[in-house]
Amino acid sequence: MLKILNRLLLEHDGHFIKDLSNIEKNTLNSLTIYSRNELIDKHDLDFITKLINMTELNSVQLVLNRCQSIPKNVFNNFDNLSQLTIASFSGSFEEFNFEYLKNLTTLILEKNELSKLESGIFNGLKNLDKLIFASNKIKLLKGKVFNNLTNLKELNLNKNDILQIENDAFNGLDNLKYLILGSNGIKSFKKNCFIDLKNLSTLDLSYNKMLDFEQNTLNGLINLEHLRLEGNLIETIKANVFNELKNLKQLDLNKNKISKLEDNAFYGLNSLENLFLINNQIETLNQYAFNHLKNLKKLFLYECKVKFIDKNAFAGLINLEYLILEGNQVNFLEANVFNDLKNLKELDLKRNKILELEQNVFAGLINLENLNLGNNDLRLLKASVFSDLENLKSLDISYNKIVTIEDNAFSGLIKLENLDLNNNLIVKLNRFTLNGFGKLKYLNLSTNKINIIEQDTFSGLNNLLGLNLGVNQLIKLEKNIFIQLENLKNLDLNSNKISSLDEDTFTG
């Protein structure tokens, strides 16, 4: 006890002790107690009541290095405590260890050496709201181990060694909202494992070793809104596996080994808004793959090794706003492949292998605002290829191999404000190349091979603010070439081969 008292006084500089004759004046909201003894005696904490006003003490942290045992009645004077943290404990808790903590709302047992949870250890914690049991060595969750925690809202079992969860392990957790089981060794779940969690809103099963996900695993989760399954070993999303999750809004399946989406894989997910499939192995997006996701707003297929997209792959996604296909291996897009995406605002096709854009490839994208085609293998932009994109504001076609831009290639882009064509192989610009850009503000043509800019090339670009022609092969600029750029503020001509300028070059 004396060692604990000495450390306590050092930790708090003794400032909390104002008057030993009147304990009511000695107040602390939180207290940290260190012990390096192998045992804590049942009276080791009794001195606290003789030093401070216990009614004001809300939080206690016990750092129990080397300690193997905690007596049952060690907390008998802490009945007003709302938060208790125990760290560096290598023993096990006995039944009724916490029975005196009637007002405890948060119990943090993180970073200990605890290897088992026995039934009854949480007896008496009728008001507990949050239980954090992360970074321990639990291998088995026994049935009804949390049975008495009827008011628990959050249960964190992250970073344990859990391999098995018995039926009824979550029995009694009628009010649980958040369950975190990430970073364990779980390979599978028994049928109806979560059946008691009617009010659960977030379930984290990330970074386990799940190979499969069977139907009925998620039965009972009628109010689940967020399901995390990233970092597992799942290869196939089977039909109807999520059909119980009527209220799910976000599904994370990143960093698995998914190569197949069965028909009706996402059946029942009527409320889903965000679907993450980043870093998987889905080479083919089959027709109607996402057909049941009527309310989906964001679909992330970043680096999924996608090679082929069926013409009807995105059918049914009538409310989709963001589609991210960056970092795949797509080399061809069929005409009308995005036809159902009437509400799409952003389409990211960066870092694919697209060779050519077919006519009508962007048909249906009437509300698209941002299109990224950077880092592909495009060599030619055909006339009117973007004509369906009447609301487009930003177009990035940088880092391709474009040599030829057909006349009126950009026709229809009446609201475009940003056009990035840097790092291509463009040689010549004429008056039809940039036709119809009345609202364009920024144009980047740097790092091409441009050596000719014909007169009137920039005709109609009255609102242009920034023009980058740096790192090209310009030798000469025509008189009055920029005359219509009356609002231009920034012009970059660095690293060209211009040796002289006419006095009327920058008129306007």
Side-chain angles (χ1 to χ4, degrees), residues 14 23 138 159 169 191 203 208 280 317 336 352 387 391 411:
I23 295 174
I138 306 297
K159 293 184 179 179
K191 181 180 178 181
L203 175 59
N208 278 280
N280 278 286
L317 297 178
N336 301 299
N352 276 274
S387 61
N391 284 300
S411 68

Side-chain angles (χ1 to χ4, degrees), residues 38-63:
E38 292 187 5
L39 295 174
I40 284 187
D41 185 82
K42 64 181 180 180
H43 300 299
D44 271 353
L45 301 184
D46 287 352
F47 72 90
I48 300 292
T49 62
K50 297 177 175 61
L51 292 179
I52 66 172
N53 181 353
M54 295 299 289
T55 61
E56 299 292 325
L57 188 62
N58 296 317
S59 174
V60 169
Q61 179 179 9
L62 295 177
V63 183

Side-chain angles (χ1 to χ4, degrees), residues 50-168:
K50 297 177 175 61
L51 292 179
I52 66 172
N53 181 353
M54 295 299 289
T55 61
E56 299 292 325
L57 188 62
N58 296 317
S59 174
V60 169
Q61 179 179 9
L62 295 177
V63 183
L64 304 178
N65 296 296
R66 298 170 57 197
C67 186
Q68 300 289 321
S69 176
I70 297 177
K72 292 181 180 179
N73 56 354
V74 73
F75 299 117
N76 61 344
N77 293 312
F78 292 77
D79 51 345
N80 286 312
L81 204 64
S82 61
Q83 177 170 316
L84 172 63
T85 301
I86 298 177
S88 302
F89 178 57
S90 55
S92 60
F93 294 106
E94 300 177 30
E95 192 172 354
F96 302 116
N97 264 144
F98 306 110
E99 67 173 327
Y100 295 102
L101 304 175
K102 305 296 184 184
N103 293 301
L104 198 70
T105 58
T106 300
L107 176 58
I108 302 173
L109 303 173
E110 190 172 11
K111 295 181 180 178
N112 290 284
E113 297 288 327
L114 304 170
S115 59
K116 60 181 179 178
L117 285 174
E118 298 292 347
S119 297
I121 70 166
F122 300 117
N123 284 348
L125 298 177
K126 61 180 181 179
N127 290 308
L128 197 68
D129 183 83
K130 179 189 292 186
L131 173 58
I132 299 177
F133 220 95
S135 299
N136 282 283
K137 296 184 177 180
I138 306 297
K139 289 182 169 60
L140 170 66
L141 287 186
K142 295 183 178 182
K144 300 184 178 180
V145 68
F146 306 109
N147 195 42
N148 298 307
L149 304 178
T150 54
N151 287 304
L152 196 68
K153 302 287 194 309
E154 179 179 338
L155 174 58
N156 188 337
L157 291 155
N158 192 51
K159 293 184 179 179
N160 275 274
D161 299 321
I162 299 171
L163 300 173
Q164 185 180 354
I165 300 175
E166 291 184 356
N167 281 339
D168 300 327

Side-chain angles (χ1 to χ4, degrees), residues 223-480:
N223 287 302
L224 195 69
E225 294 184 356
H226 186 185
L227 175 59
R228 292 186 60 187
L229 288 165
E230 71 264 33
N232 279 282
L233 304 170
I234 300 169
E235 296 181 356
T236 300
I237 304 298
K238 296 183 177 180
N240 304 307
V241 71
F242 302 115
N243 68 338
E244 287 274 316
L245 309 181
K246 307 297 184 187
N247 289 300
L248 196 71
K249 288 183 168 60
Q250 181 161 316
L251 175 58
D252 297 338
L253 288 161
N254 299 338
K255 297 181 181 179
N256 276 275
K257 297 183 181 297
I258 300 168
S259 60
K260 184 179 181 181
L261 303 174
E262 289 188 359
D263 293 344
N264 297 318
F266 301 112
Y267 179 79
L269 297 178
N270 303 324
S271 299
L272 196 70
E273 295 180 358
N274 303 310
L275 175 56
F276 294 83
L277 285 160
I278 297 169
N279 285 115
N280 278 286
Q281 301 171 16
I282 312 169
E283 291 190 4
T284 300
L285 294 180
N286 292 320
Q287 61 177 348
Y288 310 119
F290 309 102
N291 190 43
H292 302 288
L293 305 178
K294 306 294 185 186
N295 287 300
L296 197 70
K297 289 183 169 59
K298 296 180 180 181
L299 175 55
F300 296 86
L301 289 159
Y302 177 90
E303 292 192 352
C304 278
K305 300 183 179 179
V306 177
K307 293 181 179 178
F308 176 74
I309 302 175
D310 186 272
K311 181 180 177 180
N312 294 306
F314 304 118
L317 297 178
I318 55 175
N319 287 301
L320 196 69
E321 295 180 1
Y322 299 90
L323 175 56
I324 311 300
L325 282 159
E326 179 185 349
N328 284 289
Q329 300 170 26
V330 178
N331 59 26
F332 177 76
L333 293 169
E334 290 192 50
N336 301 299
V337 66
F338 305 114
N339 196 53
D340 273 19
L341 308 183
K342 308 296 184 187
N343 288 299
L344 199 70
K345 293 181 179 178
E346 182 170 332
L347 175 58
D348 191 343
L349 290 159
K350 182 170 54 182
R351 294 195 303 113
N352 276 274
K353 298 181 179 180
I354 301 170
L355 296 166
E356 189 175 344
L357 297 175
E358 292 293 311
Q359 294 293 340
N360 299 317
V361 69
F362 300 118
L365 299 177
I366 56 175
N367 287 300
L368 195 70
E369 295 180 358
N370 299 298
L371 174 58
N372 195 330
L373 287 160
N375 293 88
N376 277 281
D377 293 321
L378 293 169
R379 290 168 170 78
L380 166 69
L381 294 182
K382 295 180 179 179
S384 304
V385 69
F386 303 109
S387 61
D388 296 294
L389 306 178
E390 59 188 40
N391 284 300
L392 198 69
K393 293 181 179 179
S394 178
L395 175 58
D396 187 342
I397 324 178
S398 61
Y399 291 91
N400 276 272
K401 299 173 183 177
I402 298 170
V403 177
T404 303
I405 301 176
E406 291 186 358
D407 292 349
N408 301 311
F410 300 112
S411 68
L413 299 179
I414 56 175
K415 294 184 180 179
L416 198 71
E417 296 180 359
N418 299 287
L419 176 58
D420 193 346
L421 283 159
N422 85 82
N423 280 276
N424 279 284
L425 302 171
I426 302 166
V427 175
K428 180 180 178 181
L429 300 176
N430 65 42
R431 63 192 182 92
F432 299 108
T433 305
L434 305 172
N435 193 30
F437 281 150
K439 293 193 175 182
L440 197 67
K441 293 180 180 178
Y442 300 97
L443 174 59
N444 189 350
L445 287 158
S446 66
T447 319
N448 277 275
K449 296 183 180 299
I450 300 170
N451 56 38
I452 297 175
I453 302 177
E454 292 185 0
Q455 200 70 37
D456 296 327
T457 291
F458 303 116
S459 176
L461 302 184
N462 305 74
N463 290 302
L464 200 67
L465 300 175
L467 173 59
N468 192 341
L469 288 163
V471 196
N472 277 285
Q473 298 179 13
L474 291 168
I475 298 173
K476 180 183 178 183
L477 291 174
E478 297 290 332
K479 290 182 179 180
N480 303 316

